[in-house]
Coordinates of all heavy atoms in Angstrom, one line a residue:
I6 N 0.9 -1.2 0.0 CA 0.0 0.0 0.0 C 0.9 1.2 0.0 O 1.8 1.3 0.8 CB -0.9 0.0 1.2 CG1 -1.8 -1.2 1.2 CG2 -1.7 1.3 1.3 CD1 -2.7 -1.3 2.5
L7 N 0.6 2.2 -0.8 CA 1.3 3.4 -1.0 C 0.4 4.6 -0.6 O -0.7 4.7 -1.2 CB 1.9 3.5 -2.4 CG 2.6 4.8 -2.7 CD1 3.9 5.0 -1.8 CD2 3.0 4.9 -4.2
F8 N 0.8 5.4 0.3 CA 0.0 6.6 0.6 C 0.8 7.8 0.1 O 2.0 7.9 0.3 CB -0.1 6.7 2.2 CG -0.9 5.7 2.8 CD1 -0.4 4.6 3.4 CD2 -2.3 5.8 2.8 CE1 -1.2 3.7 4.0 CE2 -3.1 4.9 3.4 CZ -2.5 3.8 4.0
V9 N 0.1 8.6 -0.6 CA 0.6 9.8 -1.2 C -0.1 11.0 -0.5 O -1.3 11.1 -0.5 CB 0.4 9.9 -2.7 CG1 1.0 11.2 -3.3 CG2 1.1 8.6 -3.4
C10 N 0.7 11.9 0.0 CA 0.1 13.1 0.5 C 1.0 14.3 0.1 O 2.2 14.2 0.0 CB -0.1 13.0 2.0 SG 1.2 13.7 3.1
K11 N 0.3 15.4 -0.2 CA 1.0 16.6 -0.6 C 1.1 17.5 0.5 O 0.0 18.0 1.0 CB 0.3 17.2 -1.8 CG 0.9 18.4 -2.3 CD 0.2 19.0 -3.5 CE 0.9 20.3 -4.0 NZ 0.1 20.9 -5.1
V12 N 2.3 17.8 1.0 CA 2.5 18.8 2.1 C 3.5 19.8 1.6 O 4.5 19.4 1.0 CB 3.0 18.1 3.4 CG1 3.2 19.1 4.5 CG2 2.0 17.0 3.8
S13 N 3.2 21.0 1.8 CA 4.0 22.1 1.4 C 4.6 22.9 2.6 O 3.8 23.3 3.4 CB 3.2 23.0 0.4 OG 4.1 24.1 0.0
F14 N 5.9 23.0 2.6 CA 6.5 23.7 3.7 C 7.1 25.1 3.2 O 7.6 25.2 2.1 CB 7.7 22.9 4.3 CG 7.2 21.7 5.0 CD1 7.1 20.5 4.3 CD2 6.8 21.7 6.3 CE1 6.7 19.3 5.0 CE2 6.3 20.6 7.0 CZ 6.3 19.4 6.3
V15 N 7.2 26.0 4.1 CA 7.8 27.3 3.8 C 8.8 27.6 4.9 O 8.5 27.5 6.1 CB 6.8 28.5 3.8 CG1 7.5 29.8 3.6 CG2 5.8 28.2 2.7
K16 N 10.1 27.9 4.6 CA 11.1 28.3 5.6 C 10.8 29.7 6.1 O 10.5 30.6 5.3 CB 12.5 28.2 5.0 CG 13.6 28.5 5.9 CD 14.9 28.4 5.2 CE 16.0 28.8 6.2 NZ 17.3 28.8 5.5
V17 N 10.8 29.9 7.4 CA 10.6 31.2 8.0 C 11.7 31.6 9.0 O 12.2 30.7 9.6 CB 9.2 31.3 8.7 CG1 8.1 31.1 7.7 CG2 9.1 30.3 9.8
V18 N 11.9 32.9 9.1 CA 12.8 33.4 10.1 C 12.0 34.5 10.8 O 11.4 35.4 10.2 CB 14.1 34.0 9.5 CG1 14.9 34.7 10.6 CG2 14.9 33.0 8.8
V19 N 11.9 34.4 12.1 CA 11.1 35.4 12.9 C 11.8 36.7 13.1 O 13.0 36.7 13.5 CB 10.7 34.8 14.3 CG1 9.9 35.8 15.1 CG2 9.9 33.5 14.1
N20 N 11.1 37.8 12.8 CA 11.7 39.1 12.9 C 10.7 39.9 13.8 O 9.7 40.4 13.4 CB 11.8 39.8 11.5 CG 12.4 41.2 11.6 OD1 12.9 41.6 12.7 ND2 12.4 41.9 10.5
G21 N 11.1 40.0 15.1 CA 10.2 40.8 16.0 C 10.0 40.0 17.3 O 10.3 38.8 17.3
S22 N 9.4 40.6 18.3 CA 9.3 40.0 19.6 C 7.8 39.8 20.0 O 7.6 39.5 21.2 CB 10.0 40.8 20.6 OG 9.5 42.1 20.7
S23 N 6.8 40.0 19.1 CA 5.4 40.0 19.6 C 5.0 38.6 20.0 O 4.0 38.5 20.7 CB 4.5 40.5 18.4 OG 4.5 39.5 17.4
M24 N 5.7 37.5 19.7 CA 5.3 36.2 20.1 C 6.2 35.6 21.2 O 6.1 34.5 21.6 CB 5.4 35.2 18.9 CG 4.3 35.4 17.9 SD 2.6 35.0 18.5 CE 2.8 33.2 18.9
N25 N 7.0 36.5 21.8 CA 7.9 36.1 23.0 C 7.0 35.7 24.1 O 5.9 36.3 24.3 CB 8.8 37.2 23.4 CG 10.1 37.3 22.6 OD1 10.4 36.4 21.8 ND2 10.8 38.3 22.8
P26 N 7.3 34.7 24.9 CA 8.4 33.8 24.8 C 8.2 32.5 24.0 O 9.1 31.7 23.8 CB 8.7 33.4 26.3 CG 7.3 33.3 26.9 CD 6.5 34.4 26.1
T27 N 7.0 32.4 23.4 CA 6.7 31.2 22.6 C 7.6 31.1 21.4 O 8.2 30.0 21.2 CB 5.2 31.2 22.1 OG1 4.4 31.4 23.2 CG2 4.9 29.9 21.4
I28 N 7.8 32.1 20.7 CA 8.7 32.2 19.5 C 9.5 33.4 19.6 O 9.0 34.5 19.7 CB 7.9 32.2 18.2 CG1 6.9 31.0 18.1 CG2 8.8 32.2 17.0 CD1 6.0 31.1 16.9
E29 N 10.8 33.3 19.7 CA 11.7 34.4 19.9 C 12.2 35.0 18.6 O 12.3 34.4 17.6 CB 12.9 34.0 20.8 CG 12.4 33.5 22.2 CD 13.6 33.1 23.1 OE1 14.7 33.2 22.6 OE2 13.3 32.8 24.2
N30 N 12.6 36.3 18.7 CA 13.2 37.0 17.6 C 14.4 36.2 17.0 O 15.2 35.8 17.8 CB 13.6 38.4 18.0 CG 14.1 39.2 16.8 OD1 13.5 39.2 15.7 ND2 15.1 40.0 17.1
G31 N 14.5 36.1 15.8 CA 15.6 35.3 15.2 C 15.4 33.8 15.0 O 16.2 33.2 14.4
S32 N 14.3 33.3 15.6 CA 14.0 31.9 15.5 C 13.8 31.5 14.1 O 13.3 32.2 13.3 CB 12.8 31.5 16.3 OG 13.0 31.7 17.7
K33 N 14.3 30.3 13.7 CA 14.1 29.8 12.4 C 13.3 28.5 12.4 O 13.3 27.8 13.4 CB 15.5 29.5 11.8 CG 16.3 30.7 11.6 CD 17.7 30.3 11.1 CE 18.6 31.5 11.0 NZ 19.9 31.2 10.6
G34 N 12.5 28.3 11.4 CA 11.7 27.1 11.4 C 11.0 26.9 10.0 O 11.3 27.6 9.1
F35 N 10.0 26.0 10.0 CA 9.3 25.7 8.8 C 7.8 25.8 9.2 O 7.3 25.5 10.3 CB 9.5 24.3 8.3 CG 10.9 24.2 7.7 CD1 11.9 23.7 8.5 CD2 11.1 24.5 6.4 CE1 13.2 23.6 8.0 CE2 12.4 24.4 5.9 CZ 13.4 23.9 6.6
M36 N 7.0 26.4 8.2 CA 5.6 26.5 8.4 C 4.9 25.6 7.4 O 5.4 25.5 6.2 CB 5.3 28.0 8.1 CG 3.8 28.4 8.1 SD 3.6 30.1 7.9 CE 4.3 30.4 6.2
V37 N 3.9 24.9 7.8 CA 3.1 24.0 6.9 C 2.0 24.9 6.3 O 1.3 25.5 7.0 CB 2.5 22.9 7.7 CG1 1.7 22.0 6.7 CG2 3.6 22.0 8.4
K38 N 2.0 24.8 4.9 CA 0.9 25.5 4.2 C -0.4 24.7 4.3 O -0.3 23.5 4.2 CB 1.3 25.8 2.8 CG 2.2 26.9 2.5 CD 2.3 27.1 1.0 CE 3.2 28.4 0.8 NZ 3.2 28.6 -0.7
V39 N -1.5 25.4 4.6 CA -2.8 24.7 4.7 C -3.7 25.4 3.7 O -3.5 26.5 3.2 CB -3.3 24.7 6.1 CG1 -2.4 23.9 7.1 CG2 -3.5 26.1 6.6
N40 N -4.9 24.8 3.5 CA -5.9 25.4 2.6 C -7.0 26.0 3.4 O -7.0 25.9 4.6 CB -6.4 24.4 1.6 CG -7.1 23.2 2.2 OD1 -7.9 23.4 3.2 ND2 -6.9 22.0 1.7
E41 N -7.9 26.6 2.7 CA -9.0 27.3 3.4 C -10.0 26.4 4.1 O -10.8 26.9 4.9 CB -9.8 28.2 2.4 CG -10.5 27.4 1.3 CD -9.6 27.1 0.1 OE1 -8.4 27.5 0.1 OE2 -10.0 26.4 -0.8
N42 N -9.9 25.1 3.9 CA -10.8 24.1 4.6 C -10.2 23.7 6.0 O -10.8 22.9 6.7 CB -11.0 22.9 3.8 CG -11.8 23.3 2.5 OD1 -12.7 24.2 2.6 ND2 -11.5 22.7 1.4
T43 N -8.9 24.1 6.3 CA -8.3 23.7 7.5 C -9.0 24.3 8.7 O -9.3 25.5 8.7 CB -6.8 24.1 7.5 OG1 -6.2 23.5 6.4 CG2 -6.1 23.7 8.8
K44 N -9.3 23.5 9.7 CA -10.0 24.0 10.9 C -9.0 24.7 11.9 O -8.1 24.0 12.3 CB -10.7 22.9 11.6 CG -11.4 23.2 12.9 CD -12.9 23.1 12.7 CE -13.6 23.3 14.0 NZ -14.3 24.5 14.1
I45 N -9.2 26.0 12.1 CA -8.3 26.7 13.0 C -9.0 26.8 14.4 O -10.2 27.1 14.4 CB -8.0 28.1 12.5 CG1 -7.2 28.0 11.2 CG2 -7.2 28.9 13.5 CD1 -6.9 29.3 10.5
K46 N -8.2 26.5 15.4 CA -8.8 26.5 16.8 C -8.2 27.6 17.6 O -7.1 28.1 17.3 CB -8.5 25.1 17.5 CG -9.1 23.9 16.7 CD -8.7 22.6 17.4 CE -7.3 22.3 17.5 NZ -6.5 22.1 16.3
R47 N -8.8 27.9 18.7 CA -8.3 29.0 19.6 C -6.9 28.5 20.1 O -6.7 27.4 20.4 CB -9.3 29.1 20.8 CG -8.8 30.2 21.8 CD -9.7 30.4 23.0 NE -11.1 30.1 22.8 CZ -12.0 30.9 22.2 NH1 -11.7 32.1 21.7 NH2 -13.3 30.5 22.1
F48 N -6.0 29.4 20.2 CA -4.6 29.3 20.7 C -3.7 28.7 19.6 O -2.5 28.5 19.9 CB -4.6 28.6 22.0 CG -5.4 29.2 23.1 CD1 -6.4 28.4 23.7 CD2 -5.3 30.5 23.4 CE1 -7.2 29.0 24.7 CE2 -6.1 31.1 24.4 CZ -7.0 30.3 25.0
D49 N -4.2 28.3 18.4 CA -3.3 27.9 17.3 C -2.4 29.1 17.0 O -2.8 30.2 17.1 CB -4.1 27.5 16.1 CG -4.7 26.1 16.2 OD1 -4.5 25.4 17.1 OD2 -5.5 25.8 15.2
V50 N -1.2 28.8 16.6 CA -0.3 29.8 16.0 C -0.4 29.7 14.5 O -0.2 28.6 14.0 CB 1.2 29.5 16.5 CG1 2.1 30.5 15.9 CG2 1.3 29.6 18.0
V51 N -0.7 30.8 13.9 CA -0.9 30.9 12.5 C 0.0 31.9 11.8 O 0.5 32.8 12.5 CB -2.4 31.1 12.1 CG1 -3.3 30.0 12.7 CG2 -2.8 32.5 12.7
A52 N 0.1 31.9 10.5 CA 0.9 32.9 9.8 C 0.2 33.2 8.5 O -0.5 32.4 8.0 CB 2.3 32.3 9.5
G53 N 0.3 34.4 8.1 CA -0.3 34.9 6.9 C 0.6 35.8 6.2 O 1.5 36.4 6.8
L54 N 0.4 36.0 4.9 CA 1.3 36.9 4.1 C 1.2 38.3 4.7 O 0.1 38.7 5.1 CB 0.9 36.9 2.7 CG 1.3 35.7 1.9 CD1 0.7 35.7 0.5 CD2 2.8 35.6 1.8
Y55 N 2.3 39.0 4.8 CA 2.4 40.3 5.4 C 2.7 41.3 4.3 O 3.7 41.2 3.6 CB 3.5 40.3 6.4 CG 3.6 41.6 7.1 CD1 2.6 42.1 8.0 CD2 4.7 42.4 7.0 CE1 2.7 43.3 8.7 CE2 4.9 43.6 7.6 CZ 3.9 44.0 8.5 OH 4.0 45.2 9.1
G56 N 1.8 42.3 4.1 CA 2.0 43.3 3.1 C 1.9 42.8 1.7 O 1.2 41.8 1.4
T57 N 2.7 43.4 0.8 CA 2.6 43.0 -0.6 C 3.7 41.9 -1.0 O 3.7 41.4 -2.1 CB 2.8 44.2 -1.5 OG1 4.0 44.8 -1.2 CG2 1.6 45.2 -1.3
S58 N 4.5 41.6 -0.1 CA 5.6 40.6 -0.3 C 5.1 39.2 -0.4 O 4.2 38.9 0.3 CB 6.7 40.7 0.8 OG 7.6 39.7 0.6
K59 N 5.6 38.4 -1.3 CA 5.2 37.0 -1.4 C 6.0 36.1 -0.5 O 5.7 34.9 -0.4 CB 5.4 36.5 -2.8 CG 4.6 37.3 -3.9 CD 3.2 36.8 -3.8 CE 2.3 37.4 -4.9 NZ 1.0 37.5 -4.6
D60 N 7.0 36.7 0.3 CA 7.8 35.8 1.1 C 8.0 36.4 2.6 O 8.8 36.0 3.3 CB 9.2 35.6 0.5 CG 10.0 36.8 0.3 OD1 9.4 37.9 0.5 OD2 11.1 36.7 -0.1
S61 N 7.1 37.3 2.9 CA 7.1 37.9 4.3 C 5.8 37.5 5.0 O 4.7 37.8 4.4 CB 7.3 39.4 4.2 OG 7.4 39.9 5.5
Y62 N 5.9 36.9 6.2 CA 4.7 36.4 6.9 C 4.6 37.1 8.2 O 5.6 37.5 8.9 CB 4.8 34.9 7.1 CG 4.7 34.2 5.8 CD1 5.9 33.9 5.1 CD2 3.5 33.7 5.3 CE1 5.8 33.2 3.9 CE2 3.4 33.0 4.1 CZ 4.6 32.7 3.4 OH 4.5 32.1 2.2
I63 N 3.4 37.2 8.7 CA 3.2 37.7 10.1 C 2.7 36.5 10.9 O 1.8 35.7 10.4 CB 2.2 38.9 10.1 CG1 2.1 39.5 11.5 CG2 0.8 38.5 9.6 CD1 1.3 40.8 11.6
I64 N 3.2 36.3 12.1 CA 2.9 35.1 12.9 C 2.1 35.6 14.1 O 2.6 36.5 14.8 CB 4.1 34.4 13.3 CG1 4.9 33.9 12.1 CG2 3.8 33.2 14.3 CD1 6.2 33.3 12.4
K65 N 0.9 35.0 14.4 CA 0.1 35.4 15.5 C -0.6 34.2 16.1 O -0.7 33.1 15.5 CB -1.0 36.4 15.1 CG -0.4 37.7 14.6 CD 0.3 38.4 15.7 CE 1.0 39.7 15.3 NZ 1.8 40.3 16.3
R66 N -1.0 34.3 17.4 CA -1.8 33.3 18.1 C -3.3 33.6 17.9 O -3.7 34.8 18.1 CB -1.4 33.2 19.5 CG -2.2 32.1 20.3 CD -1.7 31.9 21.7 NE -0.3 31.8 21.9 CZ 0.4 30.7 21.7 NH1 -0.2 29.6 21.3 NH2 1.7 30.6 21.9
V67 N -4.1 32.6 17.6 CA -5.6 32.8 17.5 C -6.2 32.9 18.9 O -6.1 32.0 19.7 CB -6.2 31.7 16.7 CG1 -7.7 31.8 16.7 CG2 -5.6 31.6 15.3
L68 N -6.8 34.1 19.2 CA -7.5 34.2 20.5 C -9.0 34.2 20.3 O -9.7 33.6 21.1 CB -7.1 35.6 21.1 CG -5.6 35.8 21.4 CD1 -5.4 37.1 22.0 CD2 -5.2 34.7 22.4
G69 N -9.5 34.8 19.2 CA -11.0 34.8 19.0 C -11.4 34.1 17.7 O -10.6 34.1 16.8
L70 N -12.5 33.5 17.7 CA -13.1 32.8 16.6 C -14.2 33.6 16.0 O -14.7 34.6 16.7 CB -13.5 31.4 17.0 CG -12.3 30.5 17.5 CD1 -12.9 29.2 18.1 CD2 -11.3 30.3 16.4
P71 N -14.7 33.3 14.8 CA -15.8 34.1 14.3 C -17.0 34.2 15.3 O -17.3 33.3 16.0 CB -16.3 33.2 13.1 CG -15.0 32.5 12.7 CD -14.3 32.2 14.0
N72 N -17.6 35.4 15.3 CA -18.7 35.8 16.1 C -18.4 35.8 17.6 O -19.3 35.7 18.4 CB -19.9 34.8 15.8 CG -20.3 34.9 14.4 OD1 -20.5 36.0 13.8 ND2 -20.5 33.7 13.8
E73 N -17.1 35.9 18.0 CA -16.8 36.0 19.4 C -16.3 37.5 19.7 O -15.8 38.1 18.8 CB -15.7 35.0 19.8 CG -16.1 33.6 19.8 CD -15.0 32.7 20.3 OE1 -13.8 33.0 20.1 OE2 -15.4 31.6 20.7
S74 N -16.4 37.9 20.9 CA -15.9 39.2 21.4 C -14.7 38.9 22.2 O -14.7 38.1 23.2 CB -17.0 39.8 22.2 OG -16.5 41.0 22.8
V75 N -13.6 39.6 21.9 CA -12.3 39.5 22.6 C -12.0 40.8 23.3 O -12.0 41.9 22.6 CB -11.2 39.1 21.7 CG1 -9.9 39.0 22.4 CG2 -11.5 37.7 21.0
S76 N -11.6 40.8 24.5 CA -11.3 42.0 25.3 C -10.0 41.7 26.1 O -9.8 40.6 26.6 CB -12.4 42.4 26.2 OG -13.6 42.6 25.6
L77 N -9.2 42.8 26.3 CA -8.1 42.7 27.2 C -8.3 43.8 28.2 O -8.3 45.0 27.9 CB -6.7 42.9 26.4 CG -5.5 42.8 27.2 CD1 -5.3 41.4 27.7 CD2 -4.3 43.2 26.4
I78 N -8.6 43.4 29.5 CA -8.9 44.4 30.5 C -7.9 44.1 31.7 O -7.8 43.0 32.2 CB -10.3 44.3 31.0 CG1 -11.3 44.5 29.8 CG2 -10.6 45.2 32.1 CD1 -12.7 44.1 30.1
D79 N -7.1 45.2 32.1 CA -6.1 45.0 33.2 C -5.2 43.8 32.9 O -5.0 43.0 33.8 CB -6.8 44.9 34.5 CG -7.6 46.1 34.9 OD1 -7.1 47.2 34.5 OD2 -8.6 46.0 35.5
N80 N -4.7 43.6 31.7 CA -3.9 42.6 31.3 C -4.5 41.2 31.4 O -3.8 40.2 31.6 CB -2.5 42.6 32.0 CG -1.6 43.7 31.4 OD1 -1.7 43.9 30.2 ND2 -0.8 44.3 32.2
K81 N -5.8 41.1 31.4 CA -6.5 39.8 31.5 C -7.3 39.7 30.2 O -8.0 40.6 29.8 CB -7.4 39.7 32.7 CG -6.7 39.8 34.0 CD -7.6 39.7 35.2 CE -6.9 39.8 36.5 NZ -7.7 39.8 37.7
L82 N -7.2 38.5 29.6 CA -7.9 38.2 28.4 C -9.3 37.7 28.6 O -9.5 36.8 29.5 CB -7.2 37.1 27.6 CG -7.8 36.7 26.3 CD1 -7.9 37.8 25.2 CD2 -7.1 35.5 25.7
Y83 N -10.3 38.3 28.0 CA -11.7 37.8 28.1 C -12.2 37.5 26.7 O -12.0 38.2 25.7 CB -12.6 38.9 28.7 CG -12.3 39.2 30.1 CD1 -11.3 40.1 30.4 CD2 -13.0 38.6 31.1 CE1 -11.0 40.4 31.7 CE2 -12.7 38.9 32.5 CZ -11.7 39.8 32.7 OH -11.4 40.1 34.0
V84 N -12.9 36.3 26.6 CA -13.6 35.9 25.3 C -15.1 35.7 25.7 O -15.4 35.0 26.6 CB -13.0 34.6 24.7 CG1 -13.8 34.2 23.5 CG2 -11.5 34.8 24.4
N85 N -15.9 36.5 25.0 CA -17.3 36.5 25.3 C -17.6 36.8 26.8 O -18.5 36.1 27.4 CB -18.0 35.2 24.9 CG -18.0 35.1 23.4 OD1 -18.0 36.1 22.6 ND2 -17.9 33.9 22.9
G86 N -16.8 37.6 27.4 CA -17.0 38.0 28.8 C -16.4 37.0 29.8 O -16.5 37.3 31.0
Q87 N -15.9 35.9 29.4 CA -15.3 34.9 30.3 C -13.8 35.1 30.3 O -13.1 35.1 29.2 CB -15.6 33.5 29.8 CG -17.1 33.2 29.8 CD -17.7 33.1 31.2 OE1 -17.1 32.6 32.1 NE2 -18.8 33.8 31.4
E88 N -13.2 35.2 31.5 CA -11.7 35.3 31.6 C -11.1 34.0 31.1 O -11.5 32.9 31.5 CB -11.3 35.6 33.0 CG -9.8 35.9 33.1 CD -9.4 36.3 34.5 OE1 -10.2 36.5 35.4 OE2 -8.2 36.3 34.8
I89 N -10.0 34.2 30.3 CA -9.2 33.0 29.9 C -7.9 33.0 30.7 O -7.2 33.9 30.8 CB -8.8 33.2 28.4 CG1 -10.1 33.4 27.5 CG2 -8.0 32.0 27.9 CD1 -11.0 32.2 27.5
A90 N -7.7 31.8 31.3 CA -6.5 31.6 32.2 C -5.2 31.8 31.4 O -5.1 31.4 30.2 CB -6.5 30.2 32.7
Q91 N -4.2 32.5 32.0 CA -3.0 32.8 31.3 C -2.2 31.5 30.9 O -1.5 31.6 30.0 CB -2.1 33.7 32.2 CG -2.6 35.1 32.4 CD -2.5 35.9 31.1 OE1 -1.7 35.7 30.3 NE2 -3.5 36.8 30.9
D92 N -2.4 30.4 31.7 CA -1.7 29.2 31.3 C -2.2 28.6 30.0 O -1.5 27.8 29.4 CB -1.7 28.2 32.4 CG -3.1 27.8 32.8 OD1 -4.1 28.5 32.6 OD2 -3.3 26.6 33.3
S93 N -3.3 29.1 29.5 CA -3.8 28.7 28.2 C -3.1 29.3 27.1 O -3.0 28.8 26.0 CB -5.3 29.1 28.0 OG -6.1 28.4 29.0
L94 N -2.4 30.4 27.4 CA -1.6 31.1 26.3 C -0.3 30.5 26.3 O 0.5 30.4 25.8 CB -1.6 32.6 26.6 CG -3.0 33.2 26.7 CD1 -2.9 34.7 27.1 CD2 -3.8 33.1 25.4

């Protein structure tokens, strides 16, 4: 039996500190390309094209999902009015 799967990787170098301490400035790695049918969940780390460049990506953590309200009050994260524990991040 032969299984064939198409997976596409992109090499990335992190430029910036917005994801510290999870991902540090200068970190290198690979990102798996997914399609629009991929299910994204809260707290996933995702990347998307940044600006007009075809090889520059912005990396962020998903906090809110469609139709949710996200707030940051006194350095505490709230989703739909419920506080999210910091250890979740």
Side-chain angles (χ1 to χ4, degrees):
I6 296 176
L7 175 65
F8 292 98
V9 178
C10 96
K11 182 180 178 184
V12 178
S13 181
F14 293 94
V15 176
K16 182 180 176 185
V17 294
V18 178
V19 175
N20 181 10
S22 60
S23 70
M24 288 293 296
N25 276 350
T27 304
I28 303 172
E29 296 182 358
N30 185 41
S32 295
K33 298 176 184 176
F35 290 93
M36 177 176 62
V37 178
K38 283 189 173 183
V39 296
N40 63 39
E41 62 275 358
N42 297 322
T43 302
K44 179 112 170 109
I45 296 175
K46 301 179 297 299
R47 184 182 329 279
F48 307 123
D49 283 354
V50 175
V51 298
L54 286 174
Y55 181 70
T57 58
S58 174
K59 297 286 186 202
D60 60 355
S61 184
Y62 294 87
I63 187 167
I64 300 172
K65 296 295 173 186
R66 181 177 308 282
V67 175
L68 298 179
L70 299 171
N72 302 313
E73 290 183 336
S74 172
V75 177
S76 304
L77 185 64
I78 302 170
D79 295 327
N80 283 329
K81 294 179 182 176
L82 175 66
Y83 294 85
V84 176
N85 294 331
Q87 300 291 316
E88 184 177 351
I89 303 296
Q91 289 294 328
D92 59 334
S93 299
L94 305 175

